[in-house]
Amino acid sequence: MKQDHSYKPRSAWNNLNTRTQRGEVTALAERYMDFLSSCKTERETTDYVCRRLREAGYGDAFAGARVARDLRGKAVFAVLRGKAPLKDGLDLIAAHVDTPRLDFKQRPLVEQVDVVQAKTHYYGGIRKYQWLARPLALHGVIIRENGEKIPVTIGEKPDEPVFCIADLLPHLAQKQSDQKLGEAFEAEKLNVIMGHSPKTRGRGKDDKSSKEDDGKTGDAVKTHLLDILHAKYGIREEDMITAELQAVPAGPARFVGLDRALVGGYGQDDRICVFAALEALLRTKPGTRAKALIFWDKEEIGSDGATSASSRFLEYCLESMLPETGPANRLSELFLNSRALSADVQGALDPDFQDLHEKQNAARLGYGPCFSKFTGSRGKYGASEADAEYFAFLRGLLNSRAIPWQAAELGKVDQGGGGTVALFLAAYGMQVIDFGPPVLSMHSPCELTSCADLWYTVEAYKAFLEA
Ligand code: MN
Ligand code: MN
């Protein structure tokens, strides 16, 4: 018989044929959606991860068999030790917990024409128009002068109000529709409507608030809203200056499509990888080598800052763990012996913008988690590139377990590009490659992922940790 030596990618759904298998895929997606719906900030995600790790017996002590440490509630590192000494290296999965959003400015509240808005400064790569005229929720923390932390979540429960940025009515949008996209939507107009009614007044007082003004003026509404905030949280306007308040798309993640085969929801870049990596670790038994997770913050703004991939957090944790396995052990040895997955999503081939992709090297929804041998752009500039040996090792590993996978790069050459945390791990001399599921509508308020890809991403990460 004639053999076919060509490579053809195959849909992961073809591997999930039975009703039982599809049922398990759906059940996993449902748990994933619960996670997405309740974890919309880096802090909420870190809290969730830490809680599940604690429940699984992970503790603070660096000498323990299961170690979990967070850094200021925004980054987390976990290790499941193996029989081999730590210097023999880690099998490490790295992902990021932050997502694009609208951060409140330090002095957010402004009243114009009897409407109070919160001024924002966007975080990460957003398409500004996607945030207009849609329900937004407010998540974050307010810290009192005495250090007391007040968590804030408004707009997620059905009986809670939401917030909204108004958009221009089409009737008056003629000038705007002739503008370039980048000019038509201004960052300084991403102002979140917080309320519009003045306080009810006692009888017999002057009606100052209804006085005709020139559109700038009064603060009767702002005063009212500050009263509401004071009653609910016991805070004053000054407390907002030091707070971290984030406007995010309101509402839960949902199945998308008649077949319920897609998950639609905010923040799947990169929380799908956080969820999948955590699931994989929690389902893995201790083995020879140490298995580890690191989840960082600030990836969406270039990985700078204390809780980001460029911080020394990972190094500090390992430095604290290393002496217990022998005084002569060196951190450099540990790093050079480590293997890592930079677990981040890949842009899926968009059915309506296929021309922006080079289709043979584009990620397809439902074709399994996707390797990106390198990131960067324009002649691989800024790339971390995995070596052929490591890539082939992983390919063999997945094939041996019949786990579907694909390989792609983001868009056509010279079309654009993006980065991940891979280069920060590569800097330690680790073997590292980007590997995660494709996402359609990435960075939008409703990102789309395939339930089959979620399923096989968990399987693939588990295979990696068990290798
Ligand atoms: Mn990402
Ligand atoms: Mn991103």
Side-chain angles (χ1 to χ4, degrees):
M1 207 173 82
K2 212 173 152 228
Q3 275 194 306
D4 184 358
H5 294 294
S6 64
Y7 165 79
K8 288 182 195 71
R10 287 180 46 231
S11 165
W13 286 109
N14 293 337
N15 280 26
L16 300 163
N17 281 325
T18 68
R19 197 167 287 187
T20 321
Q21 283 170 323
R22 291 281 171 103
E24 286 173 19
V25 169
T26 303
L28 180 73
E30 280 167 349
R31 283 208 296 119
Y32 169 56
M33 289 192 291
D34 286 344
F35 158 76
L36 279 183
S37 304
S38 62
C39 298
K40 294 193 176 179
T41 68
E42 71 282 13
R43 285 178 190 265
E44 289 162 355
T45 308
T46 304
D47 281 354
Y48 171 94
V49 170
C50 290
R51 192 177 66 243
R52 288 199 57 196
L53 286 168
R54 270 199 310 277
E55 285 165 7
Y58 284 75
D60 262 1
F62 280 124
R66 288 177 166 80
V67 187
R69 286 279 181 127
D70 76 288
L71 183 62
R72 298 186 193 132
K74 294 182 170 203
V76 53
F77 175 64
V79 181
L80 175 62
R81 279 180 195 265
K83 286 195 254 340
L86 205 56
K87 68 173 175 56
D88 287 5
L90 300 172
D91 291 332
L92 174 69
I93 305 181
H96 66 91
V97 288
D98 61 318
T99 41
R101 59 183 191 247
L102 303 179
D103 284 343
F104 275 27
K105 289 192 184 188
Q106 266 31 78
R107 291 188 61 193
L109 298 184
V110 58
E111 179 166 343
Q112 338 182 53
V113 292
D114 301 302
V115 174
V116 167
Q117 295 159 300
K119 293 178 154 292
T120 64
H121 191 143
Y122 65 95
Y123 173 98
I126 63 163
R127 310 199 72 196
K128 298 185 185 82
Y129 66 85
Q130 293 178 342
W131 292 74
L132 310 176
R134 58 167 302 131
L136 299 172
L138 186 59
H139 289 233
V141 292
I142 297 165
I143 311 293
R144 275 190 224 280
E145 253 176 300
N146 65 8
E148 189 196 339
K149 185 187 288 186
I150 307 162
V152 175
T153 322
I154 310 171
E156 297 295 354
K157 298 196 186 104
D159 62 338
E160 284 175 343
V162 294
F163 307 93
C164 195
I165 300 171
D167 197 2
L168 190 55
L169 64 169
H171 317 65
L172 295 181
Q174 206 156 335
K175 193 173 136 220
Q176 190 191 47
S177 54
D178 293 337
Q179 285 178 298
K180 283 190 196 150
L181 196 60
E183 289 157 9
F185 304 99
E186 295 168 45
E188 287 293 355
K189 288 200 165 97
L190 293 175
N191 297 327
V192 181
I193 293 177
M194 302 296 287
H196 94 292
S197 67
K199 214 164 142 175
T200 51
R201 287 166 295 108
R203 256 174 295 166
K205 297 227 177 101
D206 281 345
D207 184 357
K208 280 188 211 134
S209 62
S210 66
K211 242 186 231 167
E212 199 56 47
D213 59 43
D214 55 4
K216 289 177 239 149
T217 64
D219 56 4
V221 178
K222 185 176 154 188
T223 308
H224 185 201
L225 298 187
L226 285 171
D227 282 354
I228 294 172
L229 285 173
H230 189 266
K232 188 170 165 72
Y233 297 112
I235 59 160
R236 296 173 297 129
E237 190 175 12
E238 190 179 296
D239 291 305
M240 299 183 87
I241 297 179
T242 57
E244 289 174 8
L245 295 169
Q246 310 172 356
V248 296
R254 306 278 294 266
F255 280 120
V256 172
L258 289 171
D259 54 359
R260 297 171 179 253
L262 292 166
V263 167
Y266 164 70
Q268 300 200 63
D269 167 16
D270 186 31
R271 287 198 260 271
I272 190 168
C273 295
V274 170
F275 180 82
L278 180 64
E279 285 291 315
L281 181 71
L282 295 180
R283 292 184 202 175
T284 304
K285 292 194 180 70
T288 308
R289 285 159 64 85
K291 307 164 201 305
L293 304 178
I294 180 100
F295 297 147
W296 280 305
D297 178 28
K298 300 282 184 281
E299 192 275 346
E300 296 294 359
I301 55 169
S303 290
D304 289 315
T307 49
S308 75
S310 70
S311 77
R312 304 284 176 270
F313 175 52
L314 173 66
E315 213 173 311
Y316 292 164
C317 288
L318 290 169
E319 191 182 69
S320 305
M321 293 179 70
L322 201 55
E324 284 127 37
T325 63
N329 295 330
R330 294 162 67 95
L331 207 50
S332 54
E333 200 179 353
L334 189 170
F335 281 132
L336 288 166
N337 287 331
S338 291
R339 296 188 290 229
L341 296 179
S342 166
D344 208 343
V345 296
Q346 175 60 275
L349 178 59
D350 187 323
D352 285 326
F353 292 95
Q354 295 184 42
D355 54 318
L356 297 177
H357 301 265
E358 186 268 284
K359 281 188 246 172
Q360 182 160 302
N361 287 285
R364 297 272 294 269
L365 277 180
Y367 277 65
C370 179
F371 287 105
S372 305
K373 190 171 182 293
F374 56 88
T375 53
S377 55
R378 291 178 176 83
K380 299 193 177 180
Y381 193 86
S384 159
E385 181 152 8
D387 55 58
E389 289 85 348
Y390 184 48
F391 195 177
F393 157 74
L394 292 169
R395 166 188 145 216
L397 175 71
L398 299 179
N399 285 343
S400 72
R401 295 191 180 208
I403 295 170
W405 55 272
Q406 50 183 329
E409 52 180 288
L410 182 61
K412 278 181 179 165
V413 181
D414 286 351
Q415 194 64 246
T420 64
V421 298
L423 66 161
F424 300 98
L425 296 168
Y428 291 117
M430 285 184 201
Q431 288 185 300
V432 58
I433 190 165
D434 279 291
F435 187 47
V439 172
L440 196 58
S441 273
M442 199 197 290
H443 282 205
S444 80
C446 186
E447 298 178 317
L448 302 173
T449 58
S450 164
C451 299
D453 294 335
L454 170 67
W455 176 266
Y456 279 116
T457 302
V458 175
E459 292 297 308
Y461 290 172
K462 191 163 163 277
F464 169 75
L465 293 176
E466 288 173 352

